[in-house]
Amino acid sequence: MNSRIAFIGGGNMAGAIIGGLVKQGLAPSQIDVVEPFAEARARLQQQFGVTAMEQAGGALAKDELVVWAVKPQTFKDAAAQARPHVRQALHLSVAAGIRSDSMAAWLGTERIVRSMPNTPALVGKGMTALFARTAVSAADQQQVEQVIATTGEYLWVREEQQLDAVTALSGSGPAYVFYFLEAMTQAGAEMGLDEEQARRLAVGTFAGASELARASSEPLQVLRERVTSKGGTTYAALTSMEQDGVKAAFVKALHAACQRAEELGDEFGK
């Protein structure tokens, strides 16, 4: 990859992508970062050797791809500052909630890909969904794929509205996993394990079960039933959860997250 890339925003997600690109062989001199906070700029420069500037300027005009890694509430103002310098570039947004219609209006271009990544990107195990506006060419899409592939897996969605569901499922999803891991660790400690033992067992179980699901072509229900003997320990646990409505509550929670994702688009995309 020989493109020049600019990042607007230098937080965790930007750092994950920059780290992946540098590992893949992109020279730090090919990466510009706009980051208003001096501490974050210094960290990026020290960690990756990239050029980090306080605000957008003429130096961005040579960048072919601009990655928007800003908070939703600051996107509009950041776009106004950068717009004169980046109108010829391809734009990739990793900002939650901001719809591509809003980005197109703020940036004066239709070459926009909107994405929804998640935090496992920080360790190269991310899951990212991508949506391209009609002006984005096949070559543009390939360029975006090269960037996102450095953080883990990706998939394309046909309709932008689907990104609200993606946000609820995989964007927020790591927090649900951590929530269940907390509960499993707590239960393990209450049943006589020390906390570190319980944590290792819980994390290892989630990682192993996820890998088994990834490797298997069988339905998730079949995989679950294989672990569940009638009258056994797993059956007791799952029966208890069903009686308490855990699955229904969890599905309801994801719908709430999806609705909030839609609201964020309305709130910050004006």
Side-chain angles (χ1 to χ4, degrees), residues 133-257:
R133 289 179 72 83
T134 53
V136 175
S137 68
D140 289 339
Q141 288 184 274
Q142 188 175 27
Q143 186 176 8
V144 167
E145 288 174 0
Q146 287 181 309
V147 171
I148 292 299
T150 66
T151 67
E153 298 184 47
Y154 61 85
L155 58 83
W156 291 91
V157 296
R158 291 179 179 273
E159 298 175 21
E160 185 169 6
Q161 188 177 4
Q162 292 176 294
L163 288 180
D164 291 336
V166 171
T167 302
L169 190 66
S170 59
S172 299
Y176 316 149
V177 174
F178 301 142
Y179 187 74
F180 276 94
L181 288 172
E182 284 181 76
M184 291 171 73
T185 301
Q186 177 183 329
E190 290 173 354
M191 293 184 290
L193 298 167
D194 67 45
E195 190 167 331
E196 179 56 27
Q197 288 175 321
R199 187 183 194 276
R200 283 187 62 190
L201 288 164
V203 172
T205 299
F206 251 91
S210 296
E211 199 56 43
L212 179 58
R214 183 196 299 274
S216 176
S217 59
E218 293 182 299
L220 295 173
Q221 180 181 341
V222 171
L223 295 177
R224 172 176 57 78
E225 289 171 347
R226 284 231 181 95
V227 194
T228 312
S229 302
K230 184 87 170 178
T233 58
T234 311
Y235 181 82
L238 292 176
T239 299
S240 176
M241 282 193 264
E242 282 297 304
Q243 288 173 346
D244 288 339
V246 172
K247 183 187 281 188
F250 190 44
V251 170
K252 181 181 177 183
L254 268 71
H255 281 284

Side-chain angles (χ1 to χ4, degrees), residues 8-9 13-14 17 66-76 78 91-100 103 106 112-117 128-129 148 160 163-164 167 261 264-265 268:
I8 312 295
M13 194 56 65
I17 299 172
V66 178
V67 180
W68 290 87
V70 294
K71 295 185 185 302
Q73 58 268 37
T74 64
F75 200 129
K76 186 176 183 179
H91 295 266
L92 168 63
S93 171
V94 298
I98 303 296
R99 298 186 187 117
S100 66
M103 295 180 220
W106 297 340
I112 293 170
V113 174
R114 182 182 162 199
S115 73
M116 185 64 238
T128 300
I148 292 299
E160 185 169 6
L163 288 180
D164 291 336
T167 302
L264 284 173
F268 295 123

Side-chain angles (χ1 to χ4, degrees), residues 37-53:
F37 294 103
E39 187 178 329
R41 286 199 306 276
R43 185 179 66 250
L44 289 165
Q45 287 169 328
Q46 181 179 9
Q47 189 173 0
F48 302 115
V50 298
T51 300
M53 58 196 84

